[in-house]
Structure formats: C-alpha cells, structure tokens
Amino acid sequence: METSTEANGWWNPRGSGDWRLRGCTVTSAFLRDGSPASASDPVRAAAVADSAGTAPAKLVDLDSE
C-alpha cells in the first residue's frame, strides 16, 4: 500500500515524465520480412530527433500496479 512513509510509488512524486531524444542515431534496421537492412541502407545513417520547439514526449504508466 502506498503511503507518505512507504516508498512504493513515491520514488519520484514530482517527476514530469518528460523526455527528449538527443544525440541518437539509427544503429540497426530490419526490413518487412524481418531480414536486417544492409549496411549501405540510408536509414542506417539517419538521426533520430525531436523538436526543441514543441512539447516534449511523455512516458505514462497506464498500469501502475
């Protein structure tokens, strides 16, 4: 049971759940048939990013139990 003195669920009570992707790159990729993309596939050189000008992504735990 969650209480103010019991740590269950209180580890980060003011956490926002915000997160951003920074400095991320694609390191592997797979085709529709499940086979790995070749090293020369352009997606293997792509950056993964978000916009600093929009609201950040959120992580939500829909089943906290």
Side-chain angles (χ1 to χ4, degrees), residues 21 23-30 37-39 41-49:
L21 298 172
C24 300
T25 57
V26 175
T27 59
S28 64
F30 295 86
S38 70
D41 191 311
V43 76
R44 300 266 315 259
V48 179

Side-chain angles (χ1 to χ4, degrees), residues 1-11 13 64-65:
M1 181 167 187
E2 196 171 299
T3 69
S4 61
T5 58
E6 192 64 38
N8 182 18
W10 288 82
W11 63 273
S64 59
E65 297 299 317

Side-chain angles (χ1 to χ4, degrees), residues 43-65:
V43 76
R44 300 266 315 259
V48 179
D50 64 6
S51 171
T54 61
K58 307 278 192 294
L59 291 178
V60 178
D61 185 358
L62 299 177
D63 180 15
S64 59
E65 297 299 317

